[in-house]
């Protein structure tokens, strides 16, 4: 079976490619390298000792997509490609709507033309918006999101749902995941975003290696045990295995619309992450507490029971593993 992975050189995409190759899928990647590097392809091949077919370009490029489908018999698609910086999306909403929506619509149209109707979409817990319960279940109604980035995820889910209702021969899996962290245990692939990170772990890493002077923890007066926000953190390798389970399940159960949470099912506070990072890596982080950040919720986490029931998937790696693997990756990157 041959799987097209859009954005396959990115953080989650690259780890998913590794898991696909380990299970003997053939992998084709399209990536415009706007927030990734081509040498990730070599690293994927080094980890798996298997070859990957790589195309550089945009998913919006209809001509390139047609060529990919003409040159490869694609059995399914895992769609990661899209801009993902929350803060940037607030400043440049049109860029996010144009890129994320147009690329998805183009991809779906070409897939339809080539009768390849099996797609797994990289969605996000942001589509839940603000719910009454901190435990997010797939049956909850999508609420207003807090950024154009989140809104594009919600809109794409709706586009794919409407496509399925118009043509139930499609098999569509919407994966809503929470806070991916960590890196591959080899240290060859991981997360190292450009500029000042939006997310906690990349920020911790840049402080740990001295690239940034200190970490600001936004708010220590929430109604949580230690006053800091609580989130559901998931090791990126566990997350990648979730995509593997989803595409395998979809290939065996065609003509379905699935929505799954991918998370650990329990929350961990920001302070707990910082403390664990210091402990497992035997170092001290320079951090301070700042004011609450607008839009941050005190607590939310996944109910991942449906993914366990239908996909046989659950998280296996601990917070300690996430902190250890993330630091191992960034240290190896700085040594190059």
């Amino acid at each position: 079976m041959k799987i097209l992975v859009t954005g396959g050189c990115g953080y989650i995409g690259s780890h998913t490619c590794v898991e696909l190759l380990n299970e003997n899928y053939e992998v084709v990647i399209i990536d415009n390298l706007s927030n990734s590097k081509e040498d990730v392809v070599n690293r994927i091949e080094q980890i798996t000792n298997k070859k990957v077919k790589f195309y550089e370009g945009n998913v919006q490029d209809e001509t390139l997509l047609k060529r990919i489908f003409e040159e490869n018999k694609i059995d399914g698609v895992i769609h990661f490609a899209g801009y993902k910086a929350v803060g940037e999306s607030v400043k440049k909403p049109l860029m996010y709507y144009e890129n994320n929506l147009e690329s998805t619509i183009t991809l779906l149209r070409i897939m339809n033309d080539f009768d390849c109707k099996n797609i797994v979409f990289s969605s996000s817990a942001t589509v839940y918006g603000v719910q009454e319960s901190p435990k997010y279940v797939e049956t909850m109604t999508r609420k207003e999101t807090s950024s154009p980035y989140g809104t594009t995820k919600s809109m794409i889910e709706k586009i794919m749902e409407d496509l399925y209702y118009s043509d139930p021969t499609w098999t569509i899996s919407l994966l809503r995941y929470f806070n991916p962290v960590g890196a591959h245990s080899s240290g060859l692939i991981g997360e190292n975003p450009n500029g000042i990170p939006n997310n906690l772990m990349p920020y911790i890493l840049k402080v740990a290696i001295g690239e940034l002077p200190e970490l600001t923890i936004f708010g220590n007066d929430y109604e949580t045990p230690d006053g800091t926000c609580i989130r559901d953190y998931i090791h990126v390798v566990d997350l990648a295995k979730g995509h593997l389970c989803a595409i395998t399940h979809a290939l065996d159960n065609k003509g379905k619309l699935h929505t799954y949470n991918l998370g650990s099912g329990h929350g961990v506070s920001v302070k707990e992450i910082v403390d664990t990072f210091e402990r497992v890596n035997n170092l001290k982080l320079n951090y301070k507490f700042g004011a609450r950040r607008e839009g941050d919720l005190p607590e939310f986490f996944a109910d991942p029971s449906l993914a366990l029931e239908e996909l046989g998937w659950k998280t296996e790696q601990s917070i300690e593993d996430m902190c250890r693997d993330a630091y191992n990756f960034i240290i190896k990157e700085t040594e190059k």
Side-chain angles (χ1 to χ4, degrees):
M1 291 284 190
K2 188 172 288 188
I3 307 300
L4 173 64
V5 182
T6 73
C9 292
Y11 176 44
I12 304 170
S14 61
H15 287 82
T16 301
C17 289
V18 167
E19 297 306 320
L20 289 167
L21 291 163
N22 284 341
E23 289 299 314
N24 296 316
Y25 284 97
E26 294 181 70
V27 171
V28 179
I29 292 174
I30 177 172
D31 200 302
N32 66 3
L33 307 178
S34 64
N35 196 32
S36 57
K37 297 176 181 176
E38 189 173 349
D39 75 335
V40 169
V41 174
N42 297 326
R43 298 184 188 200
I44 292 168
E45 293 177 341
Q46 188 177 339
I47 291 168
T48 62
N49 199 30
K50 293 178 180 176
K51 299 298 290 181
V52 172
K53 197 166 185 180
F54 173 67
Y55 294 84
E56 181 178 351
N58 293 315
V59 180
Q60 293 155 288
D61 186 339
E62 191 168 322
T63 302
L64 176 58
L65 272 186
K66 283 181 179 178
R67 180 160 71 88
I68 291 171
F69 277 85
E70 287 168 354
E71 294 177 357
N72 306 275
K73 187 187 179 306
I74 303 296
D75 295 291
V77 176
I78 303 181
H79 182 34
F80 292 104
Y83 295 145
K84 64 174 187 175
V86 173
E88 183 182 55
S89 77
V90 175
K91 295 176 181 176
K92 302 177 180 178
L94 293 182
M95 184 176 83
Y96 271 68
Y97 287 119
E98 179 180 23
N99 181 79
N100 294 4
L101 297 181
E102 284 189 7
S103 61
T104 301
I105 292 168
T106 302
L107 174 64
L108 292 171
R109 189 168 62 247
I110 298 301
M111 288 177 67
N112 190 69
D113 290 346
F114 284 85
D115 198 31
C116 174
K117 297 182 178 181
N118 188 350
I119 187 166
V120 173
F121 173 56
S122 163
S123 191
S124 166
T126 59
V127 303
Y128 286 108
V130 179
Q131 301 284 344
E132 292 182 5
S133 168
K135 187 176 184 178
Y136 289 179
V137 185
E138 293 90 344
T139 52
M140 288 176 166
T141 302
R142 285 186 297 257
K143 297 285 186 71
E144 183 177 351
T145 63
S146 59
S147 70
Y149 157 76
T151 304
T152 64
K153 292 293 188 184
S154 184
M155 291 174 75
I156 290 169
E157 282 198 8
K158 187 68 171 73
I159 289 168
M160 291 190 175
E161 288 168 356
D162 288 345
L163 176 62
Y164 173 77
Y165 296 137
S166 74
D167 180 1
T169 63
W170 277 86
T171 308
I172 297 172
S173 302
L174 309 173
L175 303 187
R176 297 172 177 172
Y177 38 85
F178 286 67
N179 295 73
V181 296
H184 194 269
S185 59
S186 66
L188 287 171
I189 55 175
E191 186 175 23
N192 189 16
N194 300 324
I196 297 177
N198 287 283
N199 299 325
L200 176 62
M201 186 59 76
Y203 213 117
I204 288 175
L205 294 174
K206 287 185 181 289
V207 173
I209 63 175
E211 195 171 313
L212 292 174
E214 67 179 358
L215 168 72
T216 299
I217 297 176
F218 297 105
N220 63 341
D221 58 351
Y222 287 98
E223 292 182 4
T224 60
D226 62 19
T228 65
C229 289
I230 290 176
R231 297 290 181 264
D232 189 334
Y233 296 92
I234 175 173
H235 197 295
V236 67
V237 172
D238 280 336
L239 184 55
K241 289 178 178 177
H243 289 79
L244 169 67
C245 289
I247 196 72
T248 301
H249 182 262
L251 289 167
D252 293 336
N253 297 272
K254 295 185 177 180
K256 302 277 187 179
L257 173 65
H258 309 276
T259 304
Y260 299 111
N261 284 335
L262 297 185
S264 68
H266 62 271
V268 178
S269 77
V270 172
K271 184 66 165 54
E272 284 180 277
I273 291 285
V274 171
D275 291 345
T276 304
F277 188 91
E278 290 183 328
R279 175 168 52 81
V280 301
N281 295 311
N282 194 28
L283 53 78
K284 297 299 291 183
L285 289 168
N286 188 23
Y287 68 88
K288 67 177 182 181
F289 293 105
R292 294 186 183 190
R293 189 168 52 184
E294 186 178 354
D296 275 351
L297 299 176
E299 178 182 13
F300 63 84
F301 53 92
D303 178 346
S305 55
L306 186 63
L308 175 60
E309 178 186 338
E310 295 193 2
L311 304 180
W313 174 90
K314 64 178 180 179
T315 58
E316 297 175 345
Q317 304 211 44
S318 67
I319 295 294
E320 286 79 5
D321 295 326
M322 300 176 205
C323 292
R324 189 180 298 110
D325 290 341
Y327 188 57
N328 177 51
F329 167 73
I330 205 69
I331 288 296
K332 290 192 174 185
E333 284 295 285
T334 57
E335 289 174 349
K336 290 175 182 174

